Amino acid sequence: MVKPLADRRAKARQMLAVLFPLCSIAPASAQAFDCVIDPSVVVRIGSPVPGLLKQVLIARGDQVNENQIIARLHSDAEQATVELMSEQAASTSEIEAQKARLDLARNRMKRAEALLARNVTSTDKLEEAVAEMEVIQKELATAETRKRSAELELQRAQTVLEQRTIRSPISGVVLERSLFNGEYLDQDGKLATIAKLDPLFVEAFIPVSEFGKLHVGMDAQVVPNAPIQGRFTGKIKVVDQVFDAASGTFGLRIELPNPNNHIPAGHRCTVSFEGDAANLE
């Protein structure tokens, strides 16, 4: 006898409940919040020393690497100083001359000691030889000090010369080039602006009702507004501990990997935190 349809459906539900006791109806989509995608770092590059620009090697839109040379100031005088100090630091002629004099003074002292032992010479002669050797030892020490000073002066000159070369402190993209070859860059001036796009920082302001549900290290799903396509996963890096009373929100920062600079910065987006908030209950 065939069982009624209602009985068969009830039996099927019972079997599913036994076979899949942990299954449940999927929750509704997580709430999405407005956000903005920003560069993680924006650097306005200047120079530790003022000077006339000899070469500017970047243009707007260029990709640069950390420590890459992006400009050079005129440095003929500094280069000449480095060459002069290199010659002085490398010279060992004064030290070698004093060592030769010291060897000669030691031999004289030894001969004076031998002659005095045989009563062939006086004590004064030996004392003169000893004094001469001590003077030459001090002159040798002075020569060695001068050489070390020359080496330190060379290092200082090289540092001054290196300051005439401007390097990028970060890897990123050139947003703006402010000066060109032949222009003067003063100590407070700006040569260029460079933005770091990997990682990106996603800034969001979340209603205070969500405070306590979100924590540092939680995954976040970021969806840029059109025309950028895709859904990207980042991690919460900062949860502000001070609310904005006027808007009833608190700030949130998400770090979003962007290895190929695929996602542009300065764009609006939405962010959601699917599943993670429920884990905090």
Side-chain angles (χ1 to χ4, degrees):
M1 180 178 179
V2 178
K3 294 182 180 180
L5 180 60
D7 292 341
R8 283 184 286 153
R9 286 179 175 174
K11 185 66 173 177
R13 285 195 295 268
Q14 292 174 1
M15 291 178 63
L16 289 172
V18 172
L19 294 173
F20 304 100
L22 299 179
C23 290
S24 60
I25 298 174
S29 298
Q31 185 177 359
F33 305 96
D34 290 335
C35 57
V36 177
I37 302 172
D38 288 333
S40 54
V41 180
V42 176
V43 179
R44 294 170 178 82
I45 298 176
S47 172
V49 294
L52 196 66
L53 286 164
K54 182 178 182 179
Q55 288 180 302
V56 180
L57 305 173
I58 55 172
R60 178 181 173 183
D62 285 352
Q63 298 284 338
V64 296
N65 296 319
E66 184 177 353
N67 208 40
Q68 177 181 328
I69 295 174
I70 60 174
R72 292 185 177 92
L73 302 174
H74 281 276
S75 57
D76 294 343
E78 291 79 8
Q79 183 64 49
T81 301
V82 168
E83 293 173 359
L84 173 62
M85 298 309 304
S86 296
E87 290 292 331
Q88 294 179 355
S91 176
T92 59
S93 57
E94 184 180 8
I95 292 176
E96 291 172 354
Q98 294 298 343
K99 286 181 177 179
R101 290 183 61 207
L102 182 60
D103 290 339
L104 180 60
R106 284 198 180 106
N107 292 334
R108 287 176 178 172
M109 185 189 69
K110 289 177 181 178
R111 286 197 298 271
E113 288 175 342
L115 292 173
L116 182 62
R118 294 160 51 190
N119 293 322
V120 176
T121 188
S122 63
T123 304
D124 292 343
K125 293 293 184 181
L126 176 60
E127 291 175 349
E128 288 177 5
V130 171
E132 181 183 8
M133 185 187 69
E134 291 177 349
V135 169
I136 295 174
Q137 284 177 329
K138 289 181 172 58
E139 291 175 350
L140 173 59
T142 300
E144 291 172 342
T145 299
R146 277 197 289 265
K147 187 175 188 309
R148 286 195 296 271
S149 297
E151 291 170 349
L152 293 174
E153 286 291 338
L154 173 60
Q155 292 179 12
R156 187 181 70 85
Q158 289 172 333
T159 300
V160 171
L161 177 61
E162 178 61 25
Q163 288 178 338
R164 313 293 289 185
T165 299
I166 303 173
R167 300 176 184 270
S168 174
I170 61 173
S171 296
V173 62
V174 179
L175 299 183
E176 179 187 6
R177 167 178 165 170
S178 304
L179 297 174
F180 295 83
N181 297 354
E183 292 191 278
Y184 186 81
L185 176 61
D186 59 41
Q187 197 160 358
D188 298 325
K190 181 182 71 171
L191 170 67
T193 302
I194 296 178
K196 185 175 183 179
L197 302 182
D198 182 26
L200 294 166
F201 283 165
V202 178
E203 305 290 346
F205 290 92
I206 311 298
V208 295
S209 59
E210 301 299 312
F211 190 79
K213 300 178 182 179
L214 307 175
H215 60 86
V216 173
M218 178 187 293
D219 285 344
Q221 305 300 318
V222 179
V223 179
N225 288 4
I228 308 304
Q229 300 295 321
R231 186 182 184 89
F232 307 94
T233 301
K235 286 189 179 295
I236 297 177
K237 287 297 180 182
V238 178
V239 177
D240 287 349
Q241 300 298 306
V242 178
F243 296 162
D244 180 59
S247 63
T249 60
F250 63 95
L252 196 73
R253 171 175 289 174
I254 298 151
E255 186 177 281
L256 186 64
N258 191 26
N260 298 315
N261 293 347
H262 174 71
I263 310 169
H267 193 51
R268 292 187 177 276
C269 59
T270 57
V271 61
S272 58
F273 310 93
E274 293 181 358
D276 288 315
N279 294 334
L280 297 178
E281 300 297 335

